Amino acid sequence: MNAIDQQLSLYRRARLRTAELLFTTNKDDQLSRFVDIGLIVLITLNILAVVLESVKSVHQNAGEFFYAFEVFSVTVFSLEYIARVWSVIDNPWQPDLTHPISGRIKYMFTWMALIDLLAIAPFYLSFFAADDLRVLRALRLLRIFKLTRYSSAMTLLFQVFREESRTIGAAMFVSMLLVFVASTLAFVVENEAQPDKFSSIPAAMYWAVITMTTVGFGDIVPITPWGKVLGAFIGIVGLAMVALPAGILASGFDNALHRRRTMLQERVQDAMKDGVISPQEEQELEKLIRHLNLNTVDANAIIYAVKHQQAQEKNDCCPHCGKPLHQPPDPNVST
Amino acid sequence: MNAIDQQLSLYRRARLRTAELLFTTNKDDQLSRFVDIGLIVLITLNILAVVLESVKSVHQNAGEFFYAFEVFSVTVFSLEYIARVWSVIDNPWQPDLTHPISGRIKYMFTWMALIDLLAIAPFYLSFFAADDLRVLRALRLLRIFKLTRYSSAMTLLFQVFREESRTIGAAMFVSMLLVFVASTLAFVVENEAQPDKFSSIPAAMYWAVITMTTVGFGDIVPITPWGKVLGAFIGIVGLAMVALPAGILASGFDNALHRRRTMLQERVQDAMKDGVISPQEEQELEKLIRHLNLNTVDANAIIYAVKHQQAQEKNDCCPHCGKPLHQPPDPNVST
Amino acid sequence: MNAIDQQLSLYRRARLRTAELLFTTNKDDQLSRFVDIGLIVLITLNILAVVLESVKSVHQNAGEFFYAFEVFSVTVFSLEYIARVWSVIDNPWQPDLTHPISGRIKYMFTWMALIDLLAIAPFYLSFFAADDLRVLRALRLLRIFKLTRYSSAMTLLFQVFREESRTIGAAMFVSMLLVFVASTLAFVVENEAQPDKFSSIPAAMYWAVITMTTVGFGDIVPITPWGKVLGAFIGIVGLAMVALPAGILASGFDNALHRRRTMLQERVQDAMKDGVISPQEEQELEKLIRHLNLNTVDANAIIYAVKHQQAQEKNDCCPHCGKPLHQPPDPNVST
Amino acid sequence: MNAIDQQLSLYRRARLRTAELLFTTNKDDQLSRFVDIGLIVLITLNILAVVLESVKSVHQNAGEFFYAFEVFSVTVFSLEYIARVWSVIDNPWQPDLTHPISGRIKYMFTWMALIDLLAIAPFYLSFFAADDLRVLRALRLLRIFKLTRYSSAMTLLFQVFREESRTIGAAMFVSMLLVFVASTLAFVVENEAQPDKFSSIPAAMYWAVITMTTVGFGDIVPITPWGKVLGAFIGIVGLAMVALPAGILASGFDNALHRRRTMLQERVQDAMKDGVISPQEEQELEKLIRHLNLNTVDANAIIYAVKHQQAQEKNDCCPHCGKPLHQPPDPNVST
């Protein structure tokens, strides 16, 4: 083994370690936790910086400090982006991206990688297009989406949203129909009385949506009797239709959790078939619990219930012949 | 076979093909898909046209273009209407409309046919009543209801609405009682302080509905102490009552989906009784899945679960005699 | 049998018939239906009259007509009230009120009888206190509560409300705590900036409730930074707390319907024990369905499902001995 | 036994009795009920006093009366606080606090004890910091939290909230993302048109939250076309996201009650194993029902159902041998 091979092996181990640090979350890996928490803190500070910098007095007094922080943040995020692209081919969670070239290119077009790129792009673009700085500064808020990588509960929310997308879509479609019909009617009945406020159907649509979502700013209100009847009517109907997605999502959440609990229960029953949960099975169950986003109290209650039930069943006997009902079949009986 | 017979047969085949194109949705039928998508696009463009034309500047600059588009649209929709009335007697989904005369007349009085007619009527009427064009133009928005033909999810929504109509009706009735009582009280306590705003009970009803639906425009607000107490009170009670239909609908949706999944499960169990799903059974299940508005992921999960369960049951044996419990009965045993 | 006895018997039959007409709803009794519908129409017209009379122009132009209608209505309602008190002792649904004197007095203190009395009282009182007519006229709206007698669905709503009163009460209690805390905080932070709007804690409470119910009239808005933070915060928390009762009621409705369906299912299973539903059992089931407020489609689906299941079970046989599993026990076997 | 021992024993019995009066709720203990109700009334009167005193005219006319009431209240609450700290080591519900010193110190840092202290602190502090009296007076409203000790239903609410905290947290996190993105966009599109209202991102955040919670005060409204599109959009999305927690909480309530009912059912089944509910078992069941916050109607229905089911099972016989299926095993059969 010569020096080049050794160097190459070192290079490979460094890449593997980088992939571990950036792509996996292992509670026992101190450095990985440090990297994760450090990035979360930096992203949060960046969001605060964007928000605070928009206040004129803060911007005038501490502009230089904010610029220094921006340079530091972009440096870190750029390094993070390069490190992710470099090491993704060793990411154990994405075994389809192992090819050195196509794997990296594919990764660069995933949602998360695009967000990482867009989060640093405004800084580099600001050297070329110097005039409209405000919009570019606002684009930095895209960094907030980098946080989604660390929220497992949000994954659950999006999953439920996708599962219920058909019913939510139906509710949205009917709401859209209602908005079109309501705004056309509002335009017809109010246009003459308030030609400046209900000037066109698009203007009436703004009013219809603001009314149906029950926001009701009050900057545009109907003044004709029929307009008032319409406003009251779409307030009632709109509430039922627009609030429907929230109800469907809540039901969906409930069902998703129920399914997850049933899934855990079945796994525990499988693991208990031999009467005991081995350390290896326990590890697998823990992984599953984390993967399913279940809380520990619920999970333990399920495991306890299965154990308790099986202990009882073992003691059940046939009332007539007295033989135990739930014992493994007698191996002497020929089948 | 002479030429007339041939022509008649051609005429019949053309009518059958037209019915296929307009009334059925077959994924493998390229032309049928093209007709469907074409009509959906044209309806959507029409809605956009109605909305845009209401903007004064757009109407003044591109009025002629919009008129040309209107002529084109009405031509297509008129042809579609005639084609539907002509070919409906060959529609396989409505076998009760096969009679050449009474079937077509019955069809013309179905909801969908009336909407088709009302969607083109404003154009023809505009030749006779030339003055109040704006209302007629707005009526063209009825074309939006032509879209409902293509939304299977909306059918589900209306079904749930009908199923839960009793409970929703009860909530609406109580809400109505509350509106009447609240508006009378508001009229009594506010009329003297604000005779222009709370001028009559109908005026107070507008305020009560806008408050109870939590829209709260703010154009009419109570100023007397008792009026403010009343406003706060109906805000709380109203929210609970008026938001109730949304909750009931969401629950209803949930139950409807649950029932649909159970229905599929039962059919799969029936199909699996002989131990295998034949190609014909698979086709029937696919039809059922589409008919029940289930998404593919859910449906496949159900099918997989039934298969898995039956595979397990087959291996279950009696713990004492060791005989398999779920095998077909022994044909030698005389019954 | 002399003439007095005959007259007495006639008097009793008349009272029994009156009780039938006023207290029971029998679909086959034409006159009873006519009385019910007549009263519902008259009540509805009365509500419309109260609402319309409050409009000044209507009152000035058609005051005499409204007065005549009022005299007619009060006459009918007075006769109805007297007839109810007179015949209630023959009401089959209230067998505890059969005593001629104490039964009638007890009835006069039931909710429905008090509403009936309050609905006609304003008219008679107007002869004595002639000045403040407007409030008295408004009190006539109490007649709307006479409608509740005819709404079986509302009974269900109140039942669910009572069942869920503990959880709704808990949500209301927490909401009340929040309102007190929020209004005190709002008073502390906004009182100096807007001494006229946040003049006292009660004034701030009005703002807090209007914000937490998301009505948001906009007549009182926070202008200090901390006031705005508070407004945004109680908007979020308030929505979750105040919308909770609606969600709980919707869940409760769902559960109530589920329980009712299970109850019907059990009754059908009982009735099917002998293998057939006798005409008498069918009548009892129909009564139950009406009593439980179930819709006919659901009820028939439940009855069909039970029949189908029992038909299948009959054909199940033991796979080994071939004997049918679900037949009545052999009477020859001595126990 | 000398006099000192007797006195000590008296002292101990007095402490035990105090703990009983303050920490337990026993329906048969008249004095304990009196103490509880007395404290609840006093707290309620204190809240009313804080609210009323904020009204300037009331404060000027009855200031002395309110001060006297305040002195009285603080005296009672101070005595209550001292008595609680003194007797907590005899509190049967907190057996971990029996140590005379560490137990009392631990108790002083529980939530309830801290609230008790903060509720009286403002009065004593007012002697030192005499100027900013208004804030100190407002702090007295903390006494409202003393009420939470007496609300068992609120305990249920907090429990459900904790159980569902993950899903609610996910919804809140997504809402927060939306608020940040929406306010940045609103700032970009509206800042130029309304530099005074959308002056910074924090200002736009206030608008975004007020819009997304559908409060919609109307003090800040978008006036640019893109701002109006944004307002309509976040009205729709916001409603679904912000109303989600209410739906999740309602579902959670429903599940919590379901779990509680199942728990009671299991206990009743256990108690019925010997065929009868003994008086001691009945007492335990009653305790459980109170502990689980179940209403009496539900609980009795569950107990009745279990009794009914077991009565039926007893009569079930094997269809072939005729032997009863659910009798205790024959003791003569050797196992």
Side-chain angles (χ1 to χ4, degrees), chain A residues 99-136:
Chain A
H99 191 277
I101 296 165
S102 73
R104 279 173 178 139
I105 290 172
K106 269 189 209 159
Y107 172 72
M108 285 167 80
F109 283 95
T110 59
W111 273 113
M112 286 316 303
L114 286 172
I115 286 169
D116 284 346
L117 190 62
L118 281 170
I120 49 173
F123 181 79
Y124 296 114
L125 285 173
S126 69
F127 292 116
F128 302 100
D131 38 38
D132 198 25
L133 271 168
R134 199 178 332 98
V135 173
L136 279 178

Side-chain angles (χ1 to χ4, degrees), chain C residues 114-131:
Chain C
L114 284 172
I115 286 169
D116 283 347
L117 189 62
L118 281 170
I120 48 172
F123 180 79
Y124 296 113
L125 286 173
S126 68
F127 291 116
F128 303 101
D131 38 38

Side-chain angles (χ1 to χ4, degrees), chain B residues 245-273:
Chain B
I248 292 169
L249 277 180
S251 279
F253 250 110
D254 205 49
N255 290 335
L257 282 174
H258 188 75
R259 272 206 299 277
R260 274 161 177 74
R261 281 181 193 135
T262 310
M263 214 178 279
L264 177 63
Q265 202 178 357
E266 279 170 9
R267 287 279 181 101
V268 178
Q269 278 167 346
D270 277 8
M272 281 291 291
K273 258 188 185 161

Side-chain angles (χ1 to χ4, degrees), chain C residues 166-167 170 173-174 177 180 184 187-188 200-202 207 211 214-218 221 228 232 239 244 247 251 255 329 333 335, chain D residues 47 51 54-55 134 138 141 144 153-154 157 206 209 213-217 242 246 249-250 253-254 293 295 319-322:
Chain C
R166 281 175 72 90
T167 40
F173 179 64
V174 178
L177 283 189
F180 273 109
T184 307
F187 174 68
V188 169
S200 63
I201 293 181
W207 171 78
T211 305
T214 77
V215 173
F217 282 133
V221 289
K228 288 185 175 191
L239 184 55
L244 196 50
S251 279
N255 289 335
V333 176
T335 47
Chain D
I47 296 160
V51 169
S54 74
V55 183
R134 201 185 322 103
L141 205 88
I144 206 171
M154 212 176 74
L157 188 71
Y206 166 69
V209 172
T213 54
T214 77
V215 173
F217 282 133
V242 181
L249 277 181
F253 250 110
D254 206 50
N293 268 318
N295 68 55
H320 303 298
C321 63

